[in-house]
Amino acid sequence: MDSWNPQSNGRLNSFLANPTPELAYVIGVILSDGNLNIHAYSAELILAVTDYEFAEEFSRCLGIVLQRKHPYTVRWHARKNRWVVQGSSVLLYNFLHRDWRNFRKWIEHCDKCTASFLKAFYDGEGCISGRHLMVFNTDMGLLLYAKHLLNSLGVGTLEPRLVSLAGTSLKDPRTGKLYKRRKDCYRIDVQGSYLARFKTQVGFTINRKKARLEYYARNSRV
């Protein structure tokens, strides 16, 4: 168990690093939209997103991984205009705070774990526009790994390609502020004829993405 300090604002949580779909989902979140943060006595796992169901699923999985009786609270943060889930565990923080290559044992434990990881990764980094189902990341190695996992589940993909260069401008849609990209960004597409396969093998948690995938996968056949 995590050690507890009476001056800490953290909680006493139990974490066992057993391969489960819930832990695979948490890993996928942290490698996409999630964040790890440590200060004072608190080691935090945070997700702040626009889609409630994404936050809710992370809350559910995080609660199971940390053996809580109830999921973490999903709260609305008015200033950030985001749904926020915030958990605390030194043990889980230490487990997650490492290179993604160290997670292969847990991600590849079984098809359910693989699919759960990919669902979280696509919930965070994926989008669908027409018959184009894409996932973006600045880590080419991680994208190639996601491609390998998709292929292992029978989902055909295209080769990764560069979509934006480091140093180009990026506009925050929430604030309108302009930022400079620090790294090149790449994308991988699922082949259009494999949308139905992706839907049954991986899918989305986020309702708006799920609805688009359902619509465009109807006439998709391998």
Side-chain angles (χ1 to χ4, degrees):
M1 281 192 174
D2 289 357
S3 60
W4 181 79
N5 186 303
Q7 296 179 338
S8 171
N9 60 359
R11 292 181 179 272
L12 186 66
N13 286 320
S14 177
F15 169 63
L16 298 175
N18 296 323
T20 63
E22 290 79 16
L23 180 55
Y25 192 88
V26 169
I27 292 170
V29 168
I30 295 301
L31 291 179
S32 56
D33 273 3
N35 288 288
L36 298 174
N37 184 39
I38 191 163
H39 60 86
Y41 295 103
S42 186
E44 299 171 338
L45 304 89
I46 303 169
L47 179 66
V49 290
T50 58
D51 297 279
Y52 176 83
E53 55 274 14
F54 186 14
E56 183 180 45
E57 179 64 4
F58 177 64
S59 168
R60 184 189 73 82
C61 291
L62 187 60
I64 290 173
V65 167
L66 293 178
Q67 302 180 44
R68 289 168 55 94
K69 292 182 179 179
H70 304 287
Y72 283 91
T73 300
V74 179
R75 60 185 176 86
W76 176 251
H77 194 297
R79 184 173 59 82
K80 292 182 178 179
N81 199 31
R82 295 285 190 274
W83 294 104
V84 177
V85 176
Q86 183 172 326
S88 179
S89 168
V90 172
L91 292 178
L92 183 54
Y93 174 94
N94 289 337
F95 172 82
L96 293 169
H97 195 259
R98 48 182 168 167
D99 186 86
W100 63 263
R101 294 168 184 84
N102 293 297
F103 299 128
R104 297 185 65 160
K105 168 185 172 181
W106 290 269
I107 295 170
E108 299 175 31
H109 173 259
C110 63
D111 285 352
K112 286 185 178 180
C113 287
T114 298
S116 187
F117 166 79
L118 286 169
K119 178 177 283 189
F121 192 62
Y122 270 81
D123 280 340
E125 305 280 53
C127 70
I128 181 165
S129 177
R131 289 172 59 82
H132 296 283
L133 173 54
M134 305 159 280
V135 66
F136 299 83
N137 205 271
T138 58
D139 188 333
M140 172 68 87
L142 181 55
L143 278 185
L144 288 172
Y145 180 54
K147 172 181 168 63
H148 163 73
L149 295 175
L150 287 167
N151 295 163
S152 75
L153 296 178
V155 179
T157 56
L158 301 178
E159 293 302 314
R161 61 190 181 94
L162 178 68
V163 292
S164 59
L165 291 168
T168 56
S169 296
L170 172 66
K171 185 176 182 179
D172 187 327
R174 182 171 58 91
T175 64
K177 292 183 179 179
L178 291 176
Y179 298 91
K180 291 290 185 181
R181 292 184 174 90
R182 292 180 294 177
K183 298 180 180 179
D184 294 341
C185 185
Y186 305 90
R187 109 182 194 194
I188 285 179
D189 290 48
V190 169
Q191 293 180 23
S193 59
Y194 284 86
L195 292 179
R197 179 73 177 177
F198 180 92
K199 181 175 76 73
T200 58
Q201 294 297 309
V202 180
F204 286 110
T205 301
I206 296 172
N207 288 336
R208 59 184 176 84
K209 294 183 180 182
K210 189 186 299 183
R212 289 175 191 165
L213 178 60
E214 175 69 32
Y215 177 81
Y216 290 109
R218 285 174 188 167
N219 298 316
S220 172
R221 295 291 183 270
V222 177

